[in-house]
Amino acid sequence: QVQLVESGGGLVQAGGSLRLSCAASGIMFSWYNMAWYRQAPGKQRELVATSGSGGSTQYADSVKGRCTISRDNAKNIVYLQMNSLKPEDTAVYYCNAHKASRDYWGQGTQVTVAS
């Protein structure tokens, strides 16, 4: 059974930092492309950052320079370090694991940035 469990969300003041974690089980973690998405109220889910199985990373323009995605293949965990948080970063953040036709999602963790 595949499980992606996010943690690390919470309430933070604008300008603050959070580190999200996503622990994966039931998959060959190192083979998967991992990603963080977010969905704000009334908006579509959007891609935040990706960490390819080969080590590449990509970021949405809205978080570039403020967020860093990293992964620990030995621990089966992917992280999202978020700095200089803004109120518009408020959303539910979801972890995603993708490989070929296989696509898995976590349950999400709420991030709220107060102005």
PDB file of all heavy atoms in Angstrom, residues 61-79:
ATOM      1  N   ASP A  61       7.512  29.922 -10.765  1.00  0.00           N
ATOM      2  CA  ASP A  61       8.074  31.276 -10.696  1.00  0.00           C
ATOM      3  C   ASP A  61       7.706  31.965  -9.384  1.00  0.00           C
ATOM      4  O   ASP A  61       8.484  32.756  -8.850  1.00  0.00           O
ATOM      5  CB  ASP A  61       7.578  32.109 -11.876  1.00  0.00           C
ATOM      6  CG  ASP A  61       8.214  31.691 -13.193  1.00  0.00           C
ATOM      7  OD1 ASP A  61       9.253  30.997 -13.163  1.00  0.00           O
ATOM      8  OD2 ASP A  61       7.663  32.063 -14.244  1.00  0.00           O
ATOM      9  N   SER A  62       6.529  31.649  -8.871  1.00  0.00           N
ATOM     10  CA  SER A  62       6.031  32.333  -7.674  1.00  0.00           C
ATOM     11  C   SER A  62       6.842  31.998  -6.416  1.00  0.00           C
ATOM     12  O   SER A  62       6.775  32.726  -5.428  1.00  0.00           O
ATOM     13  CB  SER A  62       4.563  31.996  -7.441  1.00  0.00           C
ATOM     14  OG  SER A  62       4.394  30.583  -7.329  1.00  0.00           O
ATOM     15  N   VAL A  63       7.591  30.897  -6.446  1.00  0.00           N
ATOM     16  CA  VAL A  63       8.355  30.504  -5.252  1.00  0.00           C
ATOM     17  C   VAL A  63       9.856  30.465  -5.515  1.00  0.00           C
ATOM     18  O   VAL A  63      10.635  30.234  -4.583  1.00  0.00           O
ATOM     19  CB  VAL A  63       7.890  29.137  -4.708  1.00  0.00           C
ATOM     20  CG1 VAL A  63       6.390  29.162  -4.420  1.00  0.00           C
ATOM     21  CG2 VAL A  63       8.258  28.007  -5.647  1.00  0.00           C
ATOM     22  N   LYS A  64      10.254  30.696  -6.751  1.00  0.00           N
ATOM     23  CA  LYS A  64      11.670  30.605  -7.098  1.00  0.00           C
ATOM     24  C   LYS A  64      12.474  31.571  -6.244  1.00  0.00           C
ATOM     25  O   LYS A  64      12.111  32.745  -6.109  1.00  0.00           O
ATOM     26  CB  LYS A  64      11.844  30.913  -8.584  1.00  0.00           C
ATOM     27  CG  LYS A  64      13.074  30.302  -9.214  1.00  0.00           C
ATOM     28  CD  LYS A  64      13.034  30.452 -10.734  1.00  0.00           C
ATOM     29  CE  LYS A  64      11.993  29.567 -11.362  1.00  0.00           C
ATOM     30  NZ  LYS A  64      12.001  29.636 -12.849  1.00  0.00           N
ATOM     31  N   GLY A  65      13.550  31.082  -5.663  1.00  0.00           N
ATOM     32  CA  GLY A  65      14.395  31.898  -4.809  1.00  0.00           C
ATOM     33  C   GLY A  65      13.966  31.902  -3.353  1.00  0.00           C
ATOM     34  O   GLY A  65      14.710  32.351  -2.484  1.00  0.00           O
ATOM     35  N   ARG A  66      12.769  31.397  -3.078  1.00  0.00           N
ATOM     36  CA  ARG A  66      12.268  31.368  -1.699  1.00  0.00           C
ATOM     37  C   ARG A  66      12.096  29.945  -1.183  1.00  0.00           C
ATOM     38  O   ARG A  66      12.067  29.729   0.032  1.00  0.00           O
ATOM     39  CB  ARG A  66      10.919  32.093  -1.589  1.00  0.00           C
ATOM     40  CG  ARG A  66      10.975  33.541  -1.989  1.00  0.00           C
ATOM     41  CD  ARG A  66       9.658  34.256  -1.663  1.00  0.00           C
ATOM     42  NE  ARG A  66       8.526  33.718  -2.399  1.00  0.00           N
ATOM     43  CZ  ARG A  66       7.461  33.163  -1.825  1.00  0.00           C
ATOM     44  NH1 ARG A  66       7.386  33.048  -0.501  1.00  0.00           N
ATOM     45  NH2 ARG A  66       6.458  32.718  -2.568  1.00  0.00           N
ATOM     46  N   CYS A  67      11.974  28.990  -2.078  1.00  0.00           N
ATOM     47  CA  CYS A  67      11.727  27.602  -1.697  1.00  0.00           C
ATOM     48  C   CYS A  67      12.809  26.682  -2.249  1.00  0.00           C
ATOM     49  O   CYS A  67      13.361  26.944  -3.326  1.00  0.00           O
ATOM     50  CB  CYS A  67      10.367  27.132  -2.221  1.00  0.00           C
ATOM     51  SG  CYS A  67       8.969  27.923  -1.441  1.00  0.00           S
ATOM     52  N   THR A  68      13.074  25.639  -1.498  1.00  0.00           N
ATOM     53  CA  THR A  68      14.037  24.627  -1.926  1.00  0.00           C
ATOM     54  C   THR A  68      13.445  23.252  -1.694  1.00  0.00           C
ATOM     55  O   THR A  68      13.032  22.937  -0.566  1.00  0.00           O
ATOM     56  CB  THR A  68      15.355  24.748  -1.158  1.00  0.00           C
ATOM     57  OG1 THR A  68      15.900  26.059  -1.341  1.00  0.00           O
ATOM     58  CG2 THR A  68      16.359  23.713  -1.651  1.00  0.00           C
ATOM     59  N   ILE A  69      13.407  22.452  -2.757  1.00  0.00           N
ATOM     60  CA  ILE A  69      12.960  21.075  -2.627  1.00  0.00           C
ATOM     61  C   ILE A  69      14.194  20.187  -2.529  1.00  0.00           C
ATOM     62  O   ILE A  69      15.184  20.404  -3.232  1.00  0.00           O
ATOM     63  CB  ILE A  69      12.054  20.656  -3.804  1.00  0.00           C
ATOM     64  CG1 ILE A  69      11.431  19.288  -3.551  1.00  0.00           C
ATOM     65  CG2 ILE A  69      12.802  20.694  -5.133  1.00  0.00           C
ATOM     66  CD1 ILE A  69      10.335  18.916  -4.567  1.00  0.00           C
ATOM     67  N   SER A  70      14.125  19.206  -1.664  1.00  0.00           N
ATOM     68  CA  SER A  70      15.231  18.267  -1.523  1.00  0.00           C
ATOM     69  C   SER A  70      14.658  16.903  -1.154  1.00  0.00           C
ATOM     70  O   SER A  70      13.505  16.802  -0.736  1.00  0.00           O
ATOM     71  CB  SER A  70      16.229  18.739  -0.463  1.00  0.00           C
ATOM     72  OG  SER A  70      15.617  18.848   0.799  1.00  0.00           O
ATOM     73  N   ARG A  71      15.467  15.877  -1.341  1.00  0.00           N
ATOM     74  CA  ARG A  71      14.986  14.538  -1.046  1.00  0.00           C
ATOM     75  C   ARG A  71      16.098  13.727  -0.408  1.00  0.00           C
ATOM     76  O   ARG A  71      17.281  13.949  -0.672  1.00  0.00           O
ATOM     77  CB  ARG A  71      14.482  13.852  -2.312  1.00  0.00           C
ATOM     78  CG  ARG A  71      15.534  13.658  -3.378  1.00  0.00           C
ATOM     79  CD  ARG A  71      14.904  13.276  -4.722  1.00  0.00           C
ATOM     80  NE  ARG A  71      14.259  11.973  -4.681  1.00  0.00           N
ATOM     81  CZ  ARG A  71      13.383  11.551  -5.587  1.00  0.00           C
ATOM     82  NH1 ARG A  71      13.041  12.342  -6.601  1.00  0.00           N
ATOM     83  NH2 ARG A  71      12.855  10.341  -5.502  1.00  0.00           N
ATOM     84  N   ASP A  72      15.684  12.799   0.447  1.00  0.00           N
ATOM     85  CA  ASP A  72      16.609  11.877   1.075  1.00  0.00           C
ATOM     86  C   ASP A  72      16.163  10.481   0.661  1.00  0.00           C
ATOM     87  O   ASP A  72      15.201   9.933   1.209  1.00  0.00           O
ATOM     88  CB  ASP A  72      16.565  12.046   2.598  1.00  0.00           C
ATOM     89  CG  ASP A  72      17.607  11.205   3.312  1.00  0.00           C
ATOM     90  OD1 ASP A  72      17.998  10.154   2.777  1.00  0.00           O
ATOM     91  OD2 ASP A  72      17.995  11.584   4.420  1.00  0.00           O
ATOM     92  N   ASN A  73      16.823   9.931  -0.311  1.00  0.00           N
ATOM     93  CA  ASN A  73      16.413   8.633  -0.841  1.00  0.00           C
ATOM     94  C   ASN A  73      16.640   7.494   0.152  1.00  0.00           C
ATOM     95  O   ASN A  73      16.003   6.449   0.052  1.00  0.00           O
ATOM     96  CB  ASN A  73      17.145   8.334  -2.148  1.00  0.00           C
ATOM     97  CG  ASN A  73      16.639   9.176  -3.306  1.00  0.00           C
ATOM     98  OD1 ASN A  73      15.523   9.686  -3.276  1.00  0.00           O
ATOM     99  ND2 ASN A  73      17.470   9.333  -4.319  1.00  0.00           N
ATOM    100  N   ALA A  74      17.527   7.711   1.100  1.00  0.00           N
ATOM    101  CA  ALA A  74      17.761   6.674   2.113  1.00  0.00           C
ATOM    102  C   ALA A  74      16.607   6.618   3.111  1.00  0.00           C
ATOM    103  O   ALA A  74      16.303   5.557   3.659  1.00  0.00           O
ATOM    104  CB  ALA A  74      19.068   6.944   2.837  1.00  0.00           C
ATOM    105  N   LYS A  75      15.981   7.780   3.337  1.00  0.00           N
ATOM    106  CA  LYS A  75      14.884   7.854   4.305  1.00  0.00           C
ATOM    107  C   LYS A  75      13.511   7.894   3.642  1.00  0.00           C
ATOM    108  O   LYS A  75      12.488   7.889   4.324  1.00  0.00           O
ATOM    109  CB  LYS A  75      15.054   9.086   5.193  1.00  0.00           C
ATOM    110  CG  LYS A  75      16.285   9.050   6.076  1.00  0.00           C
ATOM    111  CD  LYS A  75      16.345  10.286   6.954  1.00  0.00           C
ATOM    112  CE  LYS A  75      17.558  10.242   7.871  1.00  0.00           C
ATOM    113  NZ  LYS A  75      17.641  11.460   8.724  1.00  0.00           N
ATOM    114  N   ASN A  76      13.490   7.953   2.321  1.00  0.00           N
ATOM    115  CA  ASN A  76      12.225   8.046   1.577  1.00  0.00           C
ATOM    116  C   ASN A  76      11.429   9.284   1.962  1.00  0.00           C
ATOM    117  O   ASN A  76      10.211   9.223   2.187  1.00  0.00           O
ATOM    118  CB  ASN A  76      11.360   6.795   1.786  1.00  0.00           C
ATOM    119  CG  ASN A  76      11.937   5.566   1.131  1.00  0.00           C
ATOM    120  OD1 ASN A  76      13.013   5.625   0.539  1.00  0.00           O
ATOM    121  ND2 ASN A  76      11.250   4.452   1.241  1.00  0.00           N
ATOM    122  N   ILE A  77      12.108  10.409   2.054  1.00  0.00           N
ATOM    123  CA  ILE A  77      11.465  11.663   2.443  1.00  0.00           C
ATOM    124  C   ILE A  77      11.821  12.746   1.428  1.00  0.00           C
ATOM    125  O   ILE A  77      12.979  12.843   1.003  1.00  0.00           O
ATOM    126  CB  ILE A  77      11.899  12.111   3.849  1.00  0.00           C
ATOM    127  CG1 ILE A  77      11.489  11.075   4.889  1.00  0.00           C
ATOM    128  CG2 ILE A  77      11.271  13.463   4.199  1.00  0.00           C
ATOM    129  CD1 ILE A  77      11.961  11.418   6.305  1.00  0.00           C
ATOM    130  N   VAL A  78      10.826  13.540   1.097  1.00  0.00           N
ATOM    131  CA  VAL A  78      11.059  14.736   0.295  1.00  0.00           C
ATOM    132  C   VAL A  78      10.667  15.943   1.138  1.00  0.00           C
ATOM    133  O   VAL A  78       9.687  15.894   1.894  1.00  0.00           O
ATOM    134  CB  VAL A  78      10.288  14.704  -1.047  1.00  0.00           C
ATOM    135  CG1 VAL A  78       8.797  14.610  -0.836  1.00  0.00           C
ATOM    136  CG2 VAL A  78      10.659  15.889  -1.918  1.00  0.00           C
ATOM    137  N   TYR A  79      11.462  16.990   1.046  1.00  0.00           N
ATOM    138  CA  TYR A  79      11.264  18.193   1.848  1.00  0.00           C
ATOM    139  C   TYR A  79      10.947  19.389   0.962  1.00  0.00           C
ATOM    140  O   TYR A  79      11.325  19.445  -0.196  1.00  0.00           O
ATOM    141  CB  TYR A  79      12.520  18.511   2.653  1.00  0.00           C
ATOM    142  CG  TYR A  79      13.000  17.413   3.557  1.00  0.00           C
ATOM    143  CD1 TYR A  79      14.028  16.556   3.158  1.00  0.00           C
ATOM    144  CD2 TYR A  79      12.448  17.241   4.821  1.00  0.00           C
ATOM    145  CE1 TYR A  79      14.489  15.554   3.992  1.00  0.00           C
ATOM    146  CE2 TYR A  79      12.897  16.234   5.665  1.00  0.00           C
ATOM    147  CZ  TYR A  79      13.916  15.396   5.244  1.00  0.00           C
ATOM    148  OH  TYR A  79      14.364  14.405   6.072  1.00  0.00           O
TER     149      TYR A  79
END
